[in-house]
Amino acid sequence: HLAPGGPLSQYMATPGMTAEAILRVKESMGLNRPLPIQYLDWLSNLVVGDWGKSYRDGRPVLSVIGGNMGATLLLMVTAMVVAIAIGGLVGIFGALRQRSLFDYTTSIMAMIALSIPTFWFGLIGIYFFSVRLGWLPPGNMYTIGDGSIGDVAIHLIMPVSVLALVNIATWSRYMRTATLEVMNQDFIRTARAKGLARHVVLRRHILRNALLPMITLIGLQLPSLVGGALVTETVFTWPGVGRLFLDSLGYKDYPVIMGLLMFSAILTILGNLIADLLVAVADPRIRNH
């Protein structure tokens, strides 16, 4: 509310709109009441499942968020699967070939990927693959009038690649560290001393234990479904909740902003709970206790 402008700005710019009419609109939206009262009213409605209505089009907040969630889920889940698969393999091979050319090269590339802003990768991708080469569409989720699975898949390539690139760097570093930590444990040396084959030690002992912290990290990634793709969705005009959040900030659509923040908080709690349950299933030591 302290930020300049507000949801009434569009009415103020309308020709012939009088001050009395603005006051009536403000009263109908409940914006003339003290902020603590507005917050308590929002909180009491939230408890009974009423998240309010958007100031922009009057639709229920849950309907607005739900209408954009599918696009974000498609983008984020695809990027996360790609990042975990490639980043996990890179991290494992880097740990198994510690201080090799592969390890040094991937470490340097990871640091570069983590240091460069996501939007820069997006703009470079649009310039080369859309403007110069014309291979991929520059943005949106599908071509107007098409919307087939193949068309959506083509539109997914660039935003998923940009989003996964940074996450691959992150996951490869996590996986490398976790694998190295397990490889230096006493039970791994014992398994090798018993004469177990290298692939058996790797599959049954190293990877199984190295994946446990990764499960926790995957659960903690759930809140990023709301805001993690904000920059990517904005660059590629992807119609997800990240872009919805940015548009709502610009419009001062307080109910939608509050709804998105509450949704992110709920995902954080669920992510921690799901991660703990999965770790307990994967690790018998925790399950037995």
Side-chain angles (χ1 to χ4, degrees):
H1 281 264
L2 293 175
L8 298 178
S9 299
Q10 61 170 343
Y11 299 101
M12 296 177 181
T14 303
M17 198 68 172
T18 63
E20 291 78 9
I22 292 292
L23 289 176
R24 286 197 298 269
V25 173
K26 189 174 183 178
E27 183 177 359
S28 66
M29 297 172 70
L31 295 173
N32 61 329
R33 296 173 299 170
L35 288 182
I37 301 299
Q38 292 186 42
Y39 175 73
L40 290 175
D41 184 53
W42 172 82
L43 189 61
S44 60
N45 290 330
L46 182 73
V47 174
V48 297
D50 181 8
W51 290 36
K53 294 184 178 180
S54 171
Y55 290 159
R56 184 158 34 178
D57 53 19
R59 289 192 298 154
V61 170
L62 287 176
S63 176
V64 174
I65 295 176
N68 292 266
M69 182 56 67
T72 294
L73 283 174
L74 177 62
L75 176 61
M76 290 296 295
V77 171
T78 305
M80 187 177 294
V81 170
V82 172
I84 292 174
I86 298 178
L89 289 175
V90 170
I92 292 169
F93 284 121
L96 295 177
R97 294 171 174 80
Q98 189 180 11
R99 298 186 181 88
S100 65
L101 178 61
F102 176 85
D103 187 29
Y104 286 128
T105 303
T106 53
S107 297
I108 293 172
M109 292 177 64
M111 292 302 104
I112 294 174
L114 291 171
S115 302
I116 298 177
T118 306
F119 73 87
W120 187 86
F121 286 122
L123 294 176
I124 292 298
I126 292 174
Y127 176 73
F128 280 104
F129 296 106
S130 297
V131 178
R132 296 296 298 271
L133 300 176
W135 291 353
L136 297 171
N140 295 319
M141 186 175 175
Y142 51 82
T143 303
I144 297 177
D146 191 341
S148 61
I149 295 178
D151 182 56
V152 173
I154 292 175
H155 282 77
L156 263 175
I157 293 176
M158 267 210 295
V160 165
S161 299
V162 169
L163 198 56
L165 183 62
V166 177
N167 289 326
I168 286 172
T170 303
W171 282 101
S172 65
R173 295 297 87 197
Y174 280 135
M175 195 65 199
R176 179 183 181 275
T177 302
T179 304
L180 284 174
E181 184 176 349
V182 174
M183 287 174 61
N184 293 324
Q185 297 294 322
D186 292 337
F187 69 92
I188 298 298
R189 286 191 286 268
T190 302
R192 288 170 174 166
K194 288 182 177 179
L196 292 178
R198 181 184 177 124
H199 67 89
V200 175
V201 175
L202 176 62
R203 186 179 69 254
R204 293 186 180 179
H205 298 283
I206 296 178
L207 293 184
R208 186 171 181 178
N209 287 276
L211 287 174
L212 292 177
M214 299 298 104
I215 295 175
T216 302
L217 289 171
I218 292 174
L220 297 177
Q221 289 289 319
L222 280 180
S224 66
L225 293 176
V226 175
L230 190 151
V231 175
T232 305
E233 289 182 357
T234 302
V235 171
F236 292 100
T237 60
W238 191 267
V241 292
R243 188 180 173 198
L244 172 65
F245 185 75
L246 189 65
D247 292 344
S248 299
L249 285 175
Y251 191 83
K252 303 299 188 297
D253 196 347
Y254 306 134
V256 175
I257 294 171
M258 294 289 284
L260 288 170
L261 293 174
M262 179 58 65
F263 193 74
S264 178
I266 293 173
L267 283 179
T268 301
I269 297 172
L270 287 177
N272 280 275
L273 177 61
I274 293 172
D276 289 341
L277 293 175
L278 290 178
V279 170
V281 171
D283 192 346
R285 296 171 297 181
I286 299 177
R287 187 169 62 249
N288 292 335
H289 284 82

